[in-house]
Amino acid sequence: MTSITRPGVGTGVPIDGSPSRAPRARAISALGTLIRGRADEAAWVRSAQLGVMAIAAVLYLVNLTVSGFANTYYSAASLAASQSWSAWFFGSFDAANFITVDKPPLATMLMSLSVRLFGLNSLAILLPEALAGVATVGVLFVLVRRSFGPVAAVIAGLVMALTPAAVLMFRYNNPDALLTLLLVLAAWAAFNAIESGRFRWIIAAAIFVGLGFNTKYLQAWLVVPAFAIAYSIAAPGGIRRRLAGLVVAGVALIVASGWWVLAAALIPAANRPYIGGSTTNSALQLLLGYDGLARIFGGSGAGPGGGGGGGGGGFSGATGILRLFNSQFGGQVSWLIPFSIVGLVSGLLMRGRASRTDGKRAAYLLWGGWLAVHALVFSFMSGIVHSYYSVAMAPAIAALVGAGAVDLWALRSRSRFGGLALAATILASAIWAYELLARTPDFAPGLGLAILVVGALVAVVVAVPATVARYRTQLLAAGLGMAILLAAPAAYAFDTIGTGYSGGDPQAGPATADSGFGGGGGPGGNFGAGGPRDGGFRGAPPGTGTGSAGSAGSVGRAGAAGGAAGGNLGSSSALVTYLTANRGDATWIVATTSAQNAGTIELASGEPVMAMGGFMGSDPAPTLAQLQTYVKSGHLRYVLVGGGGFGPGGASGSGSNSSQIDAWVASVGTVVDYGGTGGATLYDVSGAFASGS
């Protein structure tokens, strides 16, 4: 059979009209490349990449459902988005679109698609985050291999996979998992732009960052300075072309980031849910306030523990250059920060005379800028900052450790005393691991001492000049040094795999004496392997039940030292049974203060619950007049008052708005005995207006 080839098309189309076999051949060839690896690299490289990704898959997928619905705030929003496409677009907490979560909707969009496919259960909620983690490790491996070779890629992949904050977040349903993947994909596009100079790649990088923005707002933009510096210095072409590329990328970034905020601003408030976390029902105000500048500078709108001035900083200790090494952040991410800093500095010094477009120096600039900006912002932001935010630093730390290890090893053969730098770095990292493990003396006893001793011995061997020591002996010692430095993060990782988490401030690994909110008290206590560890606000009553929807496992349970971030309201099966049986034609089965209380009820019932006041019960929605309208129109019959809201008033949110609602409900409502207890009072307010109240 002959074929006719059209100029510029390539493979041609058979004259009998049957499909060409070329696409199939290309697909088979691509699959073969995926399995065997590239022809220009050793056979072991692809096996190593798949092996590193398999390790990540084990860390992120094994025992995944131990945390049940994890953060019920986002789980409830994912359920709502799976029930309503309108809720899917807005990121609503409930399918009836009363209020949104206090983040843009991309993460809940992804989780809700999983719920639509697999039904409401813990695995459906947490699987997208775990797969995002495996993909992050895989993409990072490719990027580091491109710049520094396969050995550096293996080290970087292992560091990324084992970073405790990464193990936690890729097994949890906060937006940080998706954000991290999107930023690594943005780095992939940025490297392509730096190598090729084509605008389409810098635009792609901007789009990925924009998707990150629609996952977690301004945090996604922290990589932008690093990308801009690396591109402006190392991309091919003249200065005008590079500046033009940055301008094009800036425009693409604004468009890719701002479309959802613009849509929320243009749609009339009457036709959309209230924007949770804002004080004016505005996504722009949320972006610039509670979820934006207030996170950095504290003050008004920073939320509980936000603090302003004075070095406050909610939940993660005092501000300052050493914050990343304190009890809250230290065990989450800081194990190899000293190594990454040495790797960055030495790498830039060794390439001081390289050409402007040198790929390795560009990689050091990009990863180093990524790490520096995140470290500075997280260290000095005085509003709300959680230690798990540090997962976004992990790709940069991992890349710099991998690159630094390879370059410092090469330095050993170029200078008689070149091994001293690598030896000192290994020893310093071992000492820091010993210090971190000493903060939890009952966890993995003896591991810190073993790391210190082995690290010191490895440092001695590596420091010996290459002309004196045998190459193979030093190579084995260096490999052992990297392995022993990963031992402590691995111990944290395995502890995390065996622990159930819930609430808003989870922390990987063992609880330290002053970890948790505001640096005082544990984040709910450590129940040991398989036990729950809650990251909720202190002061709320501990959870007492395990009610859930589907096969989700435990939901809203709290540790002995901390409060339940889901409360104990939704765990009462009697409450849920009563509400669903007596709902009638109401849109919401109940209204209760804060999404934390409402989340467990919504997940257990599968029905919309009105989260008065949003996440913490402090949003001015609904007003008393709005609530009365819902009751009068029959959209709402039951109101649950008390039981663990987060406002200054304790049980029922904060401010005069919630106080007025509580007072009105108590004055016109009828107390309902639903056959259970839970620290709150259920009122039937359906007769309020019939009786002339």
Side-chain angles (χ1 to χ4, degrees):
M1 180 176 63
T2 61
S3 63
I4 300 174
T5 301
R6 292 175 293 172
V9 174
T11 59
V13 179
I15 59 175
D16 62 358
S18 62
S20 171
R21 293 184 180 181
R24 181 183 301 175
R26 287 196 297 269
I28 294 175
S29 176
L31 180 61
T33 301
L34 178 64
I35 297 174
R36 296 188 304 269
R38 298 200 313 254
D40 62 344
E41 65 185 11
W44 66 267
V45 176
R46 183 46 54 98
S47 299
Q49 179 180 1
L50 295 177
V52 170
M53 293 179 67
I55 291 173
V58 170
L59 291 170
Y60 305 154
L61 289 168
V62 170
N63 202 29
L64 180 60
T65 60
V66 67
S67 295
F69 282 130
N71 191 333
T72 56
Y73 184 53
Y74 297 117
S75 293
S78 300
L79 169 62
S82 73
Q83 298 171 327
S84 163
W85 287 112
S86 178
W88 182 85
F89 177 81
F90 288 112
S92 299
F93 175 81
D94 60 286
N97 285 298
F98 170 68
I99 196 168
T100 71
V101 296
D102 58 7
K103 297 291 185 295
L106 201 61
T108 55
M109 284 179 173
L110 182 62
M111 285 186 285
S112 70
L113 295 178
S114 179
V115 173
R116 284 181 182 269
L117 285 174
F118 304 114
L120 177 63
N121 55 73
S122 177
L123 183 62
I125 292 291
L126 300 177
L127 182 61
E129 288 74 35
L131 295 180
V134 177
T136 299
V137 172
V139 175
L140 182 67
F141 186 102
V142 171
L143 293 180
V144 176
R145 180 186 63 190
R146 175 190 294 186
S147 301
F148 301 105
V151 174
V154 171
I155 295 172
L158 290 174
V159 172
M160 180 72 221
L162 289 167
T163 298
V167 178
L168 174 64
M169 282 295 102
F170 290 134
R171 299 171 57 87
Y172 210 69
N173 60 329
N174 281 14
D176 302 76
L178 179 59
L179 173 67
T180 305
L181 172 60
L182 290 170
L183 296 183
V184 172
L185 288 172
W188 166 73
F191 276 117
N192 284 337
I194 292 170
E195 291 179 1
S196 69
R198 294 178 178 176
F199 285 2
R200 68 185 184 188
W201 285 115
I202 198 66
I203 292 173
I207 290 174
F208 278 121
V209 175
L211 292 173
F213 183 93
N214 284 290
T215 301
K216 210 178 176 196
Y217 283 140
L218 289 174
Q219 186 179 336
W221 283 10
L222 295 183
V223 300
V224 171
F227 290 2
I229 290 172
Y231 179 85
S232 62
I233 291 176
I239 184 64
R240 289 185 178 180
R241 178 171 177 81
R242 282 175 274 147
L243 290 176
L246 292 178
V247 171
V248 170
V251 173
L253 178 63
I254 296 299
V255 173
S257 299
W259 64 268
W260 186 85
V261 173
L262 180 62
L266 294 178
I267 297 173
N271 297 328
R272 60 166 172 78
Y274 185 93
I275 303 299
S278 72
T279 58
T280 61
N281 196 10
S282 165
L284 182 61
Q285 190 273 330
L286 172 63
L287 167 63
L288 298 177
Y290 170 71
D291 256 356
L293 300 182
R295 299 261 171 167
I296 298 176
F297 301 110
S300 178
F315 313 146
S316 294
T319 60
I321 195 64
L322 297 179
R323 177 191 259 182
L324 294 178
F325 301 93
N326 68 13
S327 295
Q328 292 82 12
F329 272 103
Q332 309 303 300
V333 75
S334 74
W335 304 91
L336 292 170
I337 286 181
F339 201 121
S340 67
I341 294 174
V342 174
L344 171 62
V345 174
S346 61
L348 290 175
L349 289 177
M350 284 189 280
R351 286 170 177 78
R353 297 184 178 180
S355 66
R356 180 182 64 79
T357 57
D358 179 69
K360 289 188 176 180
R361 184 171 63 183
Y364 273 119
L365 289 172
L366 189 149
W367 295 119
W370 181 321
L371 176 60
V373 173
H374 279 82
L376 287 173
V377 172
F378 291 164
S379 295
F380 291 99
M381 59 189 294
S382 56
I384 294 176
V385 54
H386 297 285
S387 61
Y388 63 76
Y389 291 1
S390 60
V391 65
M393 300 172 60
I397 294 171
L400 292 172
V401 169
V406 170
D407 277 352
L408 288 172
W409 172 256
L411 181 63
R412 161 200 154 278
S413 62
R414 291 163 50 186
S415 169
R416 179 175 179 82
F417 299 104
L420 289 175
L422 180 58
T425 305
I426 291 174
L427 180 59
S429 299
I431 292 173
W432 179 237
Y434 175 82
E435 166 61 24
L436 284 174
L437 288 169
R439 296 176 179 178
T440 54
D442 295 331
F443 173 75
L447 178 60
L449 182 60
I451 292 173
L452 184 61
V453 172
V454 175
L457 294 175
V458 166
V460 170
V461 175
V462 173
V464 175
T467 56
V468 177
R470 298 179 62 180
Y471 175 84
R472 181 171 296 181
T473 299
Q474 288 191 309
L475 180 62
L476 290 174
L480 177 60
M482 292 307 305
I484 199 67
L485 294 183
L486 290 174
Y492 264 57
F494 286 114
D495 179 80
T496 302
I497 291 173
T499 303
Y501 294 86
S502 66
D505 189 37
Q507 294 184 346
T512 57
D514 55 353
S515 62
F517 282 2
N526 184 355
F527 282 69
R533 188 177 303 158
D534 194 289
F537 287 75
R538 293 176 295 158
T544 57
T546 59
S548 63
S551 58
S554 61
V555 178
R557 296 181 296 176
N568 54 355
L569 304 178
S571 62
S572 170
S573 59
L575 174 62
V576 172
T577 299
Y578 181 88
L579 290 172
T580 53
N582 295 276
R583 170 187 182 178
D585 295 327
T587 302
W588 295 275
I589 62 171
V590 70
T592 187
T593 301
S594 91
Q596 298 298 298
N597 290 337
T600 47
I601 303 176
E602 186 165 305
L603 290 167
S605 66
E607 302 292 343
V609 175
M610 181 183 290
M612 296 188 296
F615 176 64
M616 291 179 294
S618 57
D619 295 350
T623 64
L624 175 57
Q626 289 170 333
L627 185 75
Q628 290 172 336
T629 299
Y630 291 133
V631 172
K632 190 173 184 179
S633 63
H635 290 298
L636 180 66
R637 179 176 181 179
Y638 296 103
V639 179
L640 194 64
V641 175
F646 294 148
S652 301
S654 63
S656 60
N657 186 57
S658 60
S659 299
Q660 291 174 2
I661 289 175
D662 287 356
W664 179 79
V665 169
S667 67
V668 303
T670 302
V671 176
V672 176
D673 181 6
Y674 55 86
T677 59
T681 304
L682 180 66
Y683 290 93
D684 182 347
V685 293
S686 60
F689 294 97
S691 62
S693 299

